[in-house]
Amino acid sequence: MFRDVTFGQYYPKNSFVHNMDARIKLVLCLLFMVGIFFVQSYVGFALVTVFLMVVILASKVPLKSILKSVKGIVVLLILTAMLNIFFTKSGNVLVSWWIFTITDEGLIYASKMLLRLVYLVIGSSVLTLTTTPVDLTHAIERLLAPLKVIKFPVHDLALIMSLTLSFIPSLIDETDRIIRAQKARGADFDTGNLFQRAKAFVPILIPLLVGGFRRAEELANAMNSRCYEGATNRTQMRVMKLSWRDLVASLVCIIVFGGIIVVYAMKATWQPILPWMYF
Amino acid sequence: MSNINNQKQIAISVQGATHYYKVYNEDGTVGKAIGIEGIDLDIYQGSFVALVGHNGCGKSTLAKHLNGILLPAMGKVEVFGLDTANKANIFEIRKQVGMVFQNPDNQMVASIVEEDVAFGPENLGIPQKEIVERVHKALEQVGMLEFAKRTPHKLSGGQKQRIAIAGALAIQPQVLVLDESTAMLDPQGRKEVLEVAHQLNKQGMTVVLITHFMEEVLDCDHVFVMSGGHIVDQGTPMQIFANSKLLDEVGLKAPRTVELAQKLKNAGFDVDDTTTDAKILGGAVCQNLQ
C-alpha cells in the first residue's frame, strides 16, 4: 500500500547543480524565493525564466520531473488566480456580471502572481531534486550553527531530522505489515464512507504508536551504548567544501537578484525614463 | 577457541548483581519482578562467552548491565575495574564495551551506512581524518566496505547487523556484547554475524554472545545458562550439553548434532558424543556399521 511512496524526491545525476555545496544551494534557493517577490514586470519575469531554464539545464533533471511538483499545487494556483481576478477592482472594467467584475489590472496582477507561485515551486523543487535529504540536513545544521551562541539546540534539531529520515523507511514497512495483519483478520479499509474509513485506521495507528515507543527506547539504548552524550565535544565526519561551482552560481544569482532588487528600489526615478522595465 | 587459560585478566566482573523491574498491577499497586538476582560472573579478556536462556530469563537484563544502561539495585558490575554505578565512569565504560542489539532497524541513526558507523567516533570527539580511518577499518572488519555509501534500509538483516557491529567497532572497544543480535535474522544472516564475531575474537576481542539458539554456543569458550534471573549452570559447551536434564528444565535443547550423538551412544554406537561436526559423526556411524 505504501510501497510506492517516495520520501524526498532526489533525482540522482552527476551535474553542476548536484555537485554544488548543499549550504550554498539552500541559501541561493532562499535568495531566489525572496527575489521572486521583487519582480514587478514581464521583462523581469522573462529574465527569471531564462535564469530558471539555465539552472534546469545545468541540473540535468528532466523538465517533466520538475513540472510534476507544479501539478501538486494546481488547485492552489486556480484559487489564487480567481481571488486575484475577482477582487481587484481598479483598472478598466472588461467584463461585469452580477457581483463579478473583471478588470485589466486584475488579470495582469493575477498572471504575475501565478508566475511567482509557479517559479517558487520550480525553484524549490530544483533544490530537493538535486540534493539528498541527508545533505540538506547537514546543510541546515551548518547554516544554523551560529545560533548556538543564543543556546538554540542546533545539533538536537539536526539529529531529530536525521533520525526521522532514517526511520521513515522502516516505519513505512511496519505500517505495511500492520495493515496486512489487520486485513488478514478481516479489517476492511476500502469500503464505507469517509468517516468509517478513517475509523478503520485506528487499529493501524495504535500498534504503530506502541511500536514507535518501543523503537524509541531501543534507539536510545543503542545511542547511549555508542557513547552519545548530546552535542558536547562532538566532531563530524562529513566535511563540506566549497568549490568553483559554488562561487560561479553565487555570483550569477547575486547579479540576477541584486539587479531585480535594484530595479524595484529605483522604481520612482527609473519608471519615467525606462517605462519598459516596469511593464 | 581462544586463549582463555593463559590470559586470565578479567574484563567484566559481575558481583551479586540484582535488578528488579516495576510491575504495575491491575489494582493500581506497584510490585516488582525479578530481572536478575544475585548474578556472579567473570568474563575474561579475549574469551568468547555465551549467555543462553529462554525468553524472559534475564539474559538481556544482564547484558544491559554490562555497559551501564541498567544499574544493579544490589551488588555491582565492574568493567576493567571501573564501577558502572559511578556516573563519571560511564563514558569510559561504554568506550570499552560495545553493544549490538536485537533489531538492526532500531539502532541505525543515519540513513547512510558510513555515517551510521561514524556516529560513535563522532560522539568521542575524534578528529575528522581519524573518523574516516576508523569507519573504513570497521567496515572492512565486518566485510561491508563496498556498502559504505548505501542506505542501510535496502540491505539484508545480516548485513544491517554487521553494520551495527561496525558501528560498535568504530569506537574501538575491548569487549563486544551481542545482545540477541541474531534473534531476528534468517540462518544466512545468523551465520554472517557469528562468523564476524569469531573473526573478531581471534583478533583479540572479548565477545559476549547472548542468544537462545544453542547451535550458536558450540564454538564458545564458556557458557552461562540462565533461568528465572539466575545463573543455573556454567561450563564449556559440551559440559552444558551433557546435562540434558537441566537444559530440559530451563526450556533449552542441545544442538541437533549433539543430541543425535548422545542418542546414538545410548543406542550402543561407539561415537564421540562431544563432537558437533556432522561429518565426523557420520563417519563414526559408518565405521560402526562396517
Side-chain angles (χ1 to χ4, degrees):
Chain A
M1 180 163 183
F2 291 99
R3 280 269 152 225
D4 46 355
V5 175
T6 49
F7 61 100
Q9 35 175 352
Y10 183 64
Y11 190 92
K13 262 262 148 74
N14 187 13
S15 79
F16 182 92
V17 183
H18 282 76
N19 288 327
M20 274 173 64
D21 189 303
R23 292 170 296 177
I24 299 292
K25 271 193 270 189
L26 192 61
V27 170
L28 293 184
C29 185
L30 289 175
L31 177 67
F32 172 82
M33 287 171 137
V34 174
I36 196 93
F37 281 93
F38 285 95
V39 179
Q40 297 289 303
S41 62
Y42 288 114
V43 184
F45 279 112
L47 177 71
V48 175
T49 311
V50 172
F51 170 80
L52 268 182
M53 267 158 46
V54 171
V55 171
I56 291 169
L57 279 177
S59 74
K60 292 191 191 165
V61 176
L63 199 60
K64 218 175 88 191
S65 316
I66 292 172
L67 291 181
K68 226 194 249 164
S69 53
V70 179
K71 234 165 72 184
I73 58 154
V74 163
V75 178
L76 181 75
L77 290 178
I78 294 173
L79 214 70
T80 322
M82 294 218 300
L83 285 177
N84 277 309
I85 290 172
F86 294 130
F87 286 93
T88 310
K89 300 285 181 214
S90 55
N92 305 317
V93 175
L94 299 176
V95 188
S96 186
W97 175 73
W98 193 35
I99 54 164
F100 301 109
T101 46
I102 297 176
T103 66
D104 56 350
E105 259 182 46
L107 281 181
I108 291 171
Y109 194 74
S111 64
K112 284 181 180 170
M113 206 60 201
L114 273 191
L115 278 174
R116 270 189 205 117
L117 285 178
V118 170
Y119 285 0
L120 207 64
V121 171
I122 290 179
S124 52
S125 64
V126 168
L127 174 71
T128 51
L129 281 162
T130 62
T131 320
T132 60
V134 178
D135 281 337
L136 267 183
T137 313
H138 280 285
I140 292 170
E141 180 172 10
R142 304 292 164 96
L143 286 173
L144 293 181
L147 293 181
K148 278 177 193 160
V149 177
I150 55 161
K151 297 264 161 69
F152 185 81
V154 178
H155 162 73
D156 307 54
L157 196 76
L159 186 78
I160 290 168
M161 287 200 293
S162 152
L163 287 178
T164 310
L165 284 176
S166 64
F167 268 69
I168 285 172
S170 48
L171 278 179
I172 289 176
D173 279 354
E174 181 148 318
T175 315
D176 220 15
R177 237 188 336 264
I178 295 171
I179 288 178
R180 264 185 270 141
Q182 302 291 35
K183 270 189 179 163
R185 296 172 200 172
D188 180 10
F189 301 114
D190 305 319
T191 56
N193 60 33
L194 194 70
F195 186 69
Q196 282 165 329
R197 282 195 205 190
K199 223 174 142 188
F201 271 89
V202 172
I204 296 172
L205 288 179
I206 290 173
L208 200 61
L209 207 67
V210 173
F213 281 112
R214 197 196 56 234
R215 257 166 214 282
E217 194 188 340
E218 281 181 32
L219 180 70
N221 280 342
M223 285 170 65
N224 277 334
S225 298
R226 285 159 79 179
C227 302
Y228 183 67
E229 289 201 318
T232 43
N233 297 326
R234 244 183 145 252
T235 48
Q236 280 188 315
M237 176 177 74
R238 179 179 291 238
V239 267
M240 296 189 125
K241 262 203 313 228
L242 298 178
S243 68
W244 59 273
R245 293 186 190 87
D246 304 300
L247 190 70
V248 171
S250 306
L251 280 177
V252 170
C253 287
I254 288 168
I255 290 169
V256 170
F257 292 99
I260 284 169
I261 290 169
V262 167
V263 168
Y264 175 83
M266 301 298 282
K267 190 173 180 180
T269 42
W270 286 4
Q271 199 168 24
I273 29 173
L274 300 164
W276 57 271
M277 276 185 117
Y278 297 93
F279 172 63
Chain B
M1 310 255 177
S2 55
N3 38 6
I4 179 171
N5 292 320
N6 50 31
Q7 197 179 351
K8 275 277 187 183
Q9 205 190 338
I10 293 174
I12 301 177
S13 159
V14 182
Q15 297 153 21
T18 298
H19 188 90
Y20 299 110
Y21 284 109
K22 272 187 187 167
V23 179
Y24 296 92
N25 299 321
E26 272 176 39
D27 56 4
T29 56
V30 181
K32 57 183 183 178
I34 295 170
I36 53 173
E37 202 172 46
I39 297 276
D40 284 304
L41 61 85
D42 288 333
I43 294 167
Y44 292 96
Q45 219 175 349
S47 63
F48 196 118
V49 176
L51 222 63
V52 293
H54 208 251
N55 282 344
C57 69
K59 57 190 193 295
S60 265
T61 307
L62 178 55
K64 290 190 179 73
H65 279 77
L66 300 183
N67 72 347
I69 290 179
L70 294 178
L71 297 175
M74 278 177 271
K76 69 174 177 177
V77 179
E78 280 182 355
V79 178
F80 295 103
L82 300 170
D83 191 341
T84 58
N86 184 349
K87 266 212 168 104
N89 289 338
I90 285 292
F91 195 71
E92 190 56 35
I93 286 168
R94 289 184 181 155
K95 264 163 73 178
Q96 301 299 338
V97 183
M99 198 169 285
V100 177
F101 296 90
Q102 183 174 13
N103 188 338
D105 287 323
N106 291 355
Q107 35 188 329
M108 296 285 162
V109 290
S111 41
I112 293 177
V113 169
E114 60 171 6
E115 288 192 11
D116 185 73
V117 177
F119 182 72
E122 285 178 342
N123 290 335
L124 299 181
I126 284 163
Q128 189 268 339
K129 268 193 185 146
E130 204 191 324
I131 296 181
V132 176
E133 283 163 22
R134 282 191 180 203
V135 169
H136 185 92
K137 193 179 164 213
L139 282 173
E140 206 169 29
Q141 279 176 298
V142 298
M144 291 295 291
L145 198 53
E146 56 189 303
F147 296 92
K149 305 274 180 200
R150 301 270 280 276
T151 159
H153 173 60
K154 300 255 168 77
L155 305 176
S156 76
Q159 289 172 323
K160 280 189 229 179
Q161 212 56 305
R162 272 149 69 196
I163 289 164
I165 293 176
L169 290 181
I171 299 169
Q172 301 187 340
Q174 307 257 6
V175 184
L176 181 66
V177 180
L178 301 172
D179 183 5
E180 299 212 59
S181 307
T182 55
M184 291 181 75
L185 305 181
D186 56 14
Q188 175 61 31
R190 268 159 59 192
K191 210 179 123 198
E192 287 171 21
V193 168
L194 284 176
E195 270 169 14
V196 167
H198 281 286
Q199 194 63 41
L200 291 168
N201 180 241
K202 282 201 188 90
Q203 293 160 14
M205 176 81 72
T206 311
V207 178
V208 182
L209 175 74
I210 289 135
T211 183
H212 60 263
F213 294 113
M214 292 299 272
E215 293 81 9
E216 294 179 0
V217 309
L218 281 174
D219 302 322
C220 295
D221 298 323
H222 199 80
V223 184
F224 294 96
V225 182
M226 288 190 69
S227 181
H230 299 267
I231 288 177
V232 291
D233 196 9
Q234 57 173 299
T236 65
M238 285 311 152
Q239 288 167 345
I240 300 294
F241 297 153
N243 194 350
S244 56
K245 193 169 155 253
L246 182 98
L247 283 182
D248 233 27
E249 274 172 25
V250 300
L252 294 170
K253 254 187 159 176
R256 289 220 181 112
T257 46
V258 176
E259 227 180 4
L260 183 64
Q262 285 170 350
K263 277 185 184 156
L264 283 169
K265 198 173 185 184
N266 290 341
F269 282 91
D270 177 24
V271 295
D272 176 12
D273 69 348
T274 60
T275 185
T276 54
D277 191 326
K279 271 188 188 153
I280 296 177
L281 200 59
V285 172
C286 286
Q287 270 182 352
N288 273 273
L289 290 174
Q290 272 162 12

